[in-house]
Amino acid sequence: MGSGARAAGPSPTGSPRHAPGPLRLGAGPKAPLLAANLKWLFTELPFERRFEAAAAAGFAGVEYAAPYPYPPTRLRALLGDAGLRHVLINSPAGEPGSPERSGVACHPGRATEFRAGIERGLEYATESGAGLLHVLAGIVPQDVSGERAFATYVTNIAWAAERAHGTGVRLVIEAQNGRDAPGYFLGTQARAAAVAEAVGHDRVGLLLDLYHAQVAEGDLIRTLRTHLPYAAHLQIADPPDRTEPGTGEIRWPRVAAALREAGYEGWIGCEYAPVEGTVPGLGWVAEVAESAEVTA
């Protein structure tokens, strides 16, 4: 699948062109399972109907950033009715446009608010069955030095990791690129990995978003190989427009091969904006699988 190639469209019957069974990145039963991000996919449907749509399209699991408008019992029922695994949620964040829109983990003097958010996130994760809680780092306040923000962040993440211990929920942290998330505290994979190393990467893993990694740093395969040992979860989209794989610049069969070589066994969240609808855009899954079979 060449750089910039358009994803394959649906079959004549209107269903996506992919192999039977749950959707995976690559070929074979050991290829990583794909999870539908319900903030980004199936947006033509109300949120509660996206679960059934994801299952019908072949996804075995789902993730979503903000479950908090819904009771955990309702989310568990939606997941159970659709037969889906619940993979990941985000910690609570402020309103769009607010200084807290990306969390407060790096904000000095906000420990009480941060801890309350972690408690709420863990409650939702445990009650709805999510295995991973993404702890948002926050945007560094203008009057706070980088050193102070780093010390605050590491202290907060260490507390959150201790609080999560024994709950069955693992914390993950994510580096985000400066184009899409200006001022975000974690701007590189190396910085995120250093935090995970400081706290203990058995307790805090990386949410390694390949879109953010490519936009921020490039050299994606080398970045993937370096930081995959810290990764508890991956997310994918194709730069430059954050659309589905095959519509941008990343060579996804090569990514699938690198994951196979490394033995990655976690989930991969599909956090992209489909060009022409979620289901028609899923043709990329078969294209990557077919290329993986040739190179295996």
Side-chain angles (χ1 to χ4, degrees), residues 176-184 187 215-216:
Q176 299 185 17
N177 77 80
R179 185 183 72 191
D180 291 277
Y184 194 73
V215 172

Side-chain angles (χ1 to χ4, degrees), residues 61-280:
V62 294
E63 61 179 33
Y64 36 88
Y68 306 104
Y70 303 88
T73 51
R74 178 57 181 157
L75 297 173
R76 185 181 284 276
L78 291 167
L79 290 156
D81 289 346
L84 293 167
R85 287 282 303 277
H86 194 189
V87 180
L88 173 142
I89 61 172
N90 284 3
S91 58
E95 293 296 321
S98 72
E100 299 81 18
R101 64 189 180 276
S102 297
V104 297
C106 72
H107 292 204
R110 308 290 289 272
T112 299
E113 182 180 348
F114 171 79
R115 293 183 178 190
I118 293 299
E119 296 288 0
R120 191 176 186 210
L122 288 173
E123 175 190 359
Y124 264 77
T126 54
E127 292 190 21
S128 64
L132 299 171
L133 176 64
H134 169 211
V135 181
L136 295 165
I139 296 170
V140 180
Q142 291 185 352
D143 59 346
V144 174
S145 68
E147 293 80 5
R148 189 179 180 202
F150 187 85
T152 300
Y153 180 72
V154 172
T155 298
N156 280 333
I157 294 298
W159 179 89
E162 184 63 28
R163 176 64 187 84
H165 185 63
T167 65
V169 178
R170 189 177 184 190
L171 304 184
V172 291
I173 57 177
E174 177 190 28
Q176 299 185 17
N177 77 80
R179 185 183 72 191
D180 291 277
Y184 194 73
F185 174 75
L186 292 178
T188 66
Q189 302 302 325
R191 192 174 204 186
V195 172
E197 186 69 31
V199 175
H201 62 82
D202 57 330
R203 291 188 161 183
V204 177
L206 296 191
L207 193 175
L208 179 48
D209 187 308
L210 303 191
Y211 166 79
H212 285 300
Q214 175 68 5
V215 172
E217 303 170 67
D219 201 7
L220 186 59
I221 298 301
R222 187 181 297 274
T223 298
L224 189 62
R225 287 171 175 164
T226 300
H227 298 292
L228 199 59
Y230 297 94
H233 187 63
L234 303 183
Q235 288 179 333
I236 58 174
D238 220 341
D241 299 321
R242 207 167 187 172
T243 46
E244 61 261 53
T247 58
E249 64 193 41
I250 295 176
R251 294 178 59 199
W252 292 99
R254 188 69 190 90
V255 170
L259 294 179
R260 183 178 67 245
E261 292 164 7
Y264 177 73
E265 296 180 349
W267 287 84
I268 299 178
C270 295
E271 192 184 48
Y272 59 74
V275 174
E276 296 179 353
T278 301
V279 173

